[in-house]
Amino acid sequence: MISQRKDDHVRLAVEQQHGHVGRNQFDEVSFVHHALAGIDRPDVSLATTFAGIAWQVPLYINAMTGGSTKTGEINRDLAIAAQETGVPIASGSMSAYFKDPSCADTFRVIREKNPDGFVLANINATASVEKAQRAVDLLQANALQIHINTAQETVMPEGDRSFSAWVPQIERIAAAVDVPVIVKEVGFGLSRESVLMLANLGVQVADLGGRGGTDFARIENGRRALGDYAFLEGWGQSTAACLLDAQGAGLPVLASGGVRNPLDVARALALGASGVGVSGGFLRTLMDDGVPALIAQISTWLDQLTALMTMLGARTPAELTHCDLLIHGSLRDFCTDRGIETGQYARRSGGFNTLTRMTGSTR
Ligand code: FNR
């Protein structure tokens, strides 16, 4: 049953990508253009560090799949793309492996095809500490993701209906495993309150996993005979909103959910993300056009992110957080209601781009 579900998820996620990849709240974030802010491309480094983790690039392939023959092939191809481009890669949920260890190869292939890369194992929040460590060991993983997905489980016909055990279990896992623990949402977003709780539970990183891309309420609803949970489609906070909400909540954050292009990557980094994850968009490229196309897409994104940073005057991903940003529309309304002052984002370069250049000083 699990392997059928994994195949369904891939099919329905790609179908969603084939629909209109529309606007989302990243469109309500724009950089103030400073015409003299540009620097020299060789001065730009994409390297990022957070929670003791060092990545050469701030872009990663986020959790998707494994557990069936077909999804094992997808993991193989994603891992080849990760190896070729140097981006970190996360496994899909490894529950299928705990239920049936004979599918181990469909996950292990991620490490086999990507022996030196940064690999993240992925489990749910009910996994025992022993299973969490087994997941890490199977992949020789560099970090562990725990996904939290109450909205998905609610719509999933065979989903969990009890969530109260997640909090203590996350704390136990975070205390026990020997790699950094990242808790991630799957496209409904982590609120500020959730991030504060995760910090208290001893988790090292929050992956905000917001709305705006793959919608798992829609996917699971597509697996229900009656499709009767249509009203939950679009549930949750966008990734841009989550980034604004989580500022100063005490954890380094990763941004994923609805990242469509290199400008969205730059926007997310400028809103404070230490790294930016993509799932559905990369899956679509792989399924439609194959591994060479995915490798080309990721390489182009990294190239164009470097170009944007050169234009914006950011030598590192962290320096993008000094760029002036305008927050518009419904995202601005969200900020108002959540007590987030948007004006500070519009003026935060402190005149760096003009004045410090004139005086020759650096940031
Ligand atoms: C996912 N996602 C996911 N997340 C997770 O933590 N464990 C998992 O097993 C899966 N499985 C999965 C399958 C497929 C086919 C897709 C497309 C996605 C969620 C994923 O990591 C991410 O949070 C969301 O897809 C939102 O990002 P995008 O797709 O909008 O870039």
Side-chain angles (χ1 to χ4, degrees):
M1 194 171 76
I2 286 199
S3 66
Q4 180 59 48
R5 176 163 84 229
K6 299 296 156 184
D7 292 351
D8 285 351
H9 284 169
V10 167
R11 178 177 51 80
L12 292 164
V14 173
E15 255 176 55
Q16 229 176 70
Q17 290 285 328
H18 285 157
H20 182 58
V21 181
R23 289 179 62 78
N24 66 31
Q25 276 187 329
F26 277 121
D27 293 313
E28 298 183 344
V29 179
S30 36
F31 286 91
V32 175
H33 176 62
H34 293 303
L36 290 175
I39 55 174
D40 300 340
R41 187 179 164 108
D43 294 334
V44 173
S45 159
L46 293 182
T48 180
T49 53
F50 56 100
I53 293 170
W55 287 351
Q56 287 312 301
V57 292
L59 179 69
Y60 60 101
I61 301 173
N62 214 352
M64 279 187 269
T65 206
S68 67
T69 307
K70 185 177 156 196
T71 58
E73 288 165 9
I74 293 172
N75 272 346
R76 177 199 63 204
D77 290 349
L78 292 171
I80 292 170
Q83 165 77 18
E84 289 295 314
T85 56
V87 297
I89 177 171
S91 160
S93 171
M94 296 170 73
S95 329
Y97 160 64
F98 302 139
K99 292 214 172 76
D100 176 11
S102 73
C103 70
D105 284 349
T106 68
F107 295 100
R108 201 161 29 208
V109 69
I110 296 175
R111 177 51 85 197
E112 278 165 9
K113 294 292 174 194
N114 183 27
D116 311 316
F118 193 101
V119 170
L120 300 98
N122 184 293
I123 59 172
N124 65 38
T126 63
S128 64
V129 164
E130 181 262 331
K131 282 178 177 159
Q133 191 60 50
R134 264 172 66 204
V136 170
D137 293 344
L138 184 73
L139 300 186
Q140 297 159 48
N142 307 88
L144 176 67
Q145 290 182 330
I146 305 175
H147 65 261
I148 53 177
N149 60 339
T150 53
Q152 179 186 5
E153 296 290 343
T154 298
V155 185
M156 190 190 298
E158 68 278 33
D160 282 347
R161 301 290 182 257
S162 302
F163 306 123
S164 67
W166 290 12
V167 169
Q169 197 54 24
I170 289 171
E171 186 166 32
R172 277 184 214 111
I173 295 169
V177 296
D178 57 10
V179 292
V181 169
I182 300 170
V183 169
K184 75 179 283 285
E185 243 290 357
V186 303
F188 303 97
L190 293 177
S191 65
R192 177 181 192 79
E193 290 79 353
S194 309
V195 176
L196 287 166
M197 273 182 82
L198 292 173
N200 277 329
L201 296 176
V203 165
Q204 279 84 24
V205 181
D207 181 335
L208 300 172
R211 171 171 58 82
T214 304
D215 182 342
F216 262 94
R218 205 168 127 203
I219 288 179
E220 298 299 352
N221 204 36
R223 298 180 58 243
R224 292 180 78 86
L226 296 176
D228 50 350
Y229 266 99
F231 56 81
L232 273 191
E233 294 175 13
W235 182 264
Q237 287 93 255
S238 74
T239 303
C242 292
L243 282 160
L244 288 155
D245 209 26
Q247 299 279 321
L251 280 188
V253 296
L254 299 172
S256 65
V259 174
R260 302 157 299 176
N261 54 48
L263 178 56
D264 286 348
V265 178
R267 286 165 161 148
L269 295 170
L271 287 171
S274 296
V276 181
V278 178
S279 295
F282 287 166
L283 181 66
R284 178 201 171 150
T285 301
L286 177 64
M287 301 307 280
D288 285 356
D289 303 317
V291 196
L294 180 58
I295 293 169
Q297 181 180 26
I298 295 173
S299 306
T300 302
W301 280 37
L302 294 174
D303 176 56
Q304 293 181 337
L305 176 63
T306 308
L308 288 172
M309 289 169 63
T310 305
M311 178 179 84
L312 288 162
R315 285 166 299 190
T316 63
E319 280 194 5
L320 282 167
T321 63
H322 301 290
C323 291
D324 294 324
L325 289 179
L326 300 173
I327 314 290
H328 317 274
S330 60
L331 186 58
R332 195 185 177 100
D333 294 342
F334 170 87
C335 289
T336 305
D337 288 349
R338 293 286 282 173
I340 300 160
E341 209 272 292
T342 52
Q344 64 184 304
Y345 289 91
R347 299 184 292 270
R348 63 187 180 167
S349 74
F352 162 78
N353 291 307
T354 50
L355 296 173
T356 55
R357 285 298 163 88
M358 284 164 67
T359 59
S361 66
T362 55
R363 243 175 292 206

